[in-house]
Amino acid sequence: MKIRRILATAVAVAVTTPAVLLSVTPAFADSAPTAQTQAKPTLEELEKAAAEAQEAYDKALAAKTAAYGVLEEALSDTAPLALAAKAAKTAADEAGAAKTAADQAVTDAKAALDALPETATEEERTAAETAVTGAEATAATAAADKTAADAKAKEADTASDDARVAAVRAYSLVQKALADALDAKTAADDALAKAREEENENQDCVAEPGLTAVLTGVPDSITAGTTTALSLRVSNRTDKAMDDVSAHAFTHATDTSGLKETDKLLHLQWSTASSPKWHSIGGDHLINGIGPLKAGAHADIKLRLTIDASAPAGNGAAFVSADYTNENGSCGGNPDIDMYDFGVLKAAKPKPGKTDSGTTGTTGTTGTGTTGTGTSGGSNPSAQGTASSNPVTTGGSLASTGSSSTTPQLALASGAAVALGAAAMFTARRRRTGTQV
């Protein structure tokens, strides 16, 4: 029968599901120490266990769907066994009615025999007696037919009820098997994810000089109270694709003595074509708007550096670098961080002047660069003139900034050390958390 096949499938699923659960349990269960330490499952073994758990879950889900179909059919009034039980009951009712009629015929025949007058002929009495005998025989046959019909009706009704009960039990069984299979699948997936995460955490990032970050537009000096437009190009000069590329940018500045840091007065923001809104660069120095880079491809990032008008004259530097992580957990980055130095000019004092409306205003100040000049309004920051600046690469040792003063040079060099340290910590954090940055 179909219900038996479904029940057998449910039993098989219920039996195999715990076995799958046990096969993956050692990878994630916090069991008590035993005399013999169990070897930690390998990543391949966990992947196999996860695949088996998925297969068991799929089978359990299919069994549940089939069992539900059988349950609906078994509970339906049009089910074959339900129809058979109904037909058997109708036949039993008809047999009962026939027996009742036959019994009445016997009663009537006996009454007719008893009602014969004493003057009845022998032929009349014989006929009446024959009628009673025939009626009794018919009644006996009707009684036997009714007994047989009742038995068949009871058997058919029992078969229908048994099928319904079996369908309910089978459905309950596969429901439990499906829940166990889901638990096993979840446990296997979690164990595999944990193992992959641990593998990624233990995987060292590699130096990749082919991933470059080049900053352009840094002028020789920037006047406080102005905003300077910069451009950062990150290039994948390797022969392999990188799944998730990030850039890092950091600015550092001091006063002319080199002893007072003024970093908080410098504000760096980034924008890309895919994310045109300006984003402030936070303490992690991260620019995460790049994404994947194919071999030989590059990405351009707009930067703008704003220096508060309250910033004192001094020296500043910008640092840039790039790194990557792949979906398989591998990661790397350029081992060098490039430093671009510039001077910070004190904001010019506003001079009285006439505006178009006749009110007193302020005149603009002019900043100079290597290849051009830019102006800034006295009341609001404006774009500073851009010019190319050669980067000073910081690798294993700190590079010279080109300053004629030893103190500012050391100050900027210490800024490079800070940037290197921050980038190193950030890279380590990325390695621990994967690509979820």
Side-chain angles (χ1 to χ4, degrees), residues 250-254 261 263 317 319 339 398 409-421:
F250 174 79
T251 55
H252 177 62
T254 67
E261 292 186 359
D263 293 359
F319 308 89
M339 181 175 75
L398 298 175
Q409 178 179 349
L410 292 176
L412 291 180
S414 67
V418 171
L420 281 168

Side-chain angles (χ1 to χ4, degrees), residues 102-103 105-107 109 130-140:
D103 290 342
V106 171
T107 300
T130 300
V132 170
T133 301
E136 290 177 339
T138 299

Side-chain angles (χ1 to χ4, degrees), residues 79-108:
L81 290 178
L83 293 176
K86 184 178 180 180
K89 185 179 183 303
T90 299
D93 291 341
E94 292 174 351
K99 180 181 179 301
T100 299
D103 290 342
Q104 184 63 45
V106 171
T107 300
D108 292 343

